[in-house]
Amino acid sequence: MKAFTALTAAELRLLSRDPASLFFMVAFPLMLLVLKRGDSGAVPGYLAMIAAIGGMGALPGLLASYRERKVLKRLATTPISPVMLLGAQLVAQVAAGLAGSVLLVVVTIAVFGAQAPGDVLMLAAAFLLCSVMACALGFVVAAVVRNTRGASLIGMLVMFPMIFLSGAAVPRKALPGSLRQIGDFLPLTPAVEALGDAWSGTAAVFPLLILAGIIVAATAAGAALFRWE
């Protein structure tokens, strides 16, 4: 446990030194909130966006770089297993996303005078599932695309359309009907719904079950496809 904690702390330090991750997971959502003049109705989507940026935007390239530099292969000969490193990276991404999300919620309430979330515990649970789901999808991308540059590119290509079509960046009601239909089948859509329901205090279980199912399916696919070298 001590080794895992130290490894997670190291991954968090590395993540905190990445200016792109810090900007898109912390500063960018705050900028969007300011442009929306503190519209609290947009916050659940921004929370889903933060999770997607960490899990699908950053994680695939990081995992592919570890494999490309043979870090995972070398770890297999040490007491720290490659699986432990992947777990530490997951915890680091979730923790970074949580920090950015807490800051966003605090600014929304303290600066713009919005009401507090209707169900804080369900909001936290929805964000946790959303973040783990995004990381599971990022794991699949890293499993399929072997090199760092390609994994980062594919992760971005998966992430950006999903953010816009799921309602994370733009309300789905503002999209044409054909694009809304596409968004119905995207994994991030139930995440936005779950976060929105929890924020309004009318949390529903079904979107959370969908997220849990996606996590199981994506983790199984990633584990089957992933190669350590």
Side-chain angles (χ1 to χ4, degrees):
M1 187 63 184
K2 187 179 294 186
F4 180 76
T5 303
L7 194 57
T8 301
E11 291 296 323
L12 273 171
R13 284 195 298 271
L14 290 174
L15 192 60
S16 67
R17 294 169 186 167
D18 180 7
S21 295
L22 287 177
F23 175 78
F24 284 107
M25 296 180 74
V26 178
F28 185 62
L30 290 174
M31 291 168 58
L32 293 178
L33 182 67
V34 172
L35 291 175
K36 281 277 191 175
R37 299 181 180 179
D39 179 14
S40 61
V43 172
Y46 295 162
L47 297 179
M49 183 190 305
I50 291 171
I53 289 170
M56 288 180 275
L59 187 61
L62 285 171
L63 295 183
S65 71
Y66 286 156
R67 181 175 51 210
E68 199 170 43
R69 291 184 286 124
K70 301 188 183 302
V71 173
L72 300 178
K73 182 181 178 180
R74 289 196 295 270
L75 282 177
T77 63
T78 72
I80 300 176
S81 70
V83 174
M84 188 182 293
L85 177 62
L86 297 182
Q89 183 59 232
L90 169 65
V91 173
Q93 291 292 345
V94 173
L98 184 61
S101 298
V102 169
L103 178 61
L104 180 67
V105 171
V106 168
V107 170
T108 303
I109 297 171
V111 177
F112 293 101
Q115 289 187 340
D119 193 331
V120 176
L121 290 179
M122 192 61 75
L123 184 68
F127 179 81
L128 178 62
L129 284 173
C130 176
S131 187
V132 175
M133 182 270 295
C135 289
L137 294 177
F139 183 41
V140 173
V141 173
V144 174
V145 186
R146 299 301 179 86
N147 63 80
T148 304
R149 188 171 298 178
S152 297
L153 177 60
I154 297 300
M156 292 291 184
L157 291 176
V158 171
M159 179 192 72
F160 279 113
M162 201 177 295
I163 284 175
F164 284 99
L165 298 180
S166 67
V170 180
R172 295 192 68 212
K173 61 184 178 181
L175 298 174
S178 58
L179 295 182
R180 284 200 302 272
Q181 289 179 347
I182 295 173
D184 289 339
F185 299 97
L186 297 178
L188 200 61
T189 301
V192 176
E193 292 176 0
L195 290 163
D197 290 343
W199 185 273
S200 64
T202 58
V205 175
F206 187 63
L208 300 178
L209 293 177
I210 295 176
L211 291 177
I214 295 171
I215 290 171
V216 172
T219 302
L225 295 170
F226 196 83
R227 297 293 178 267
W228 299 112
E229 53 181 302

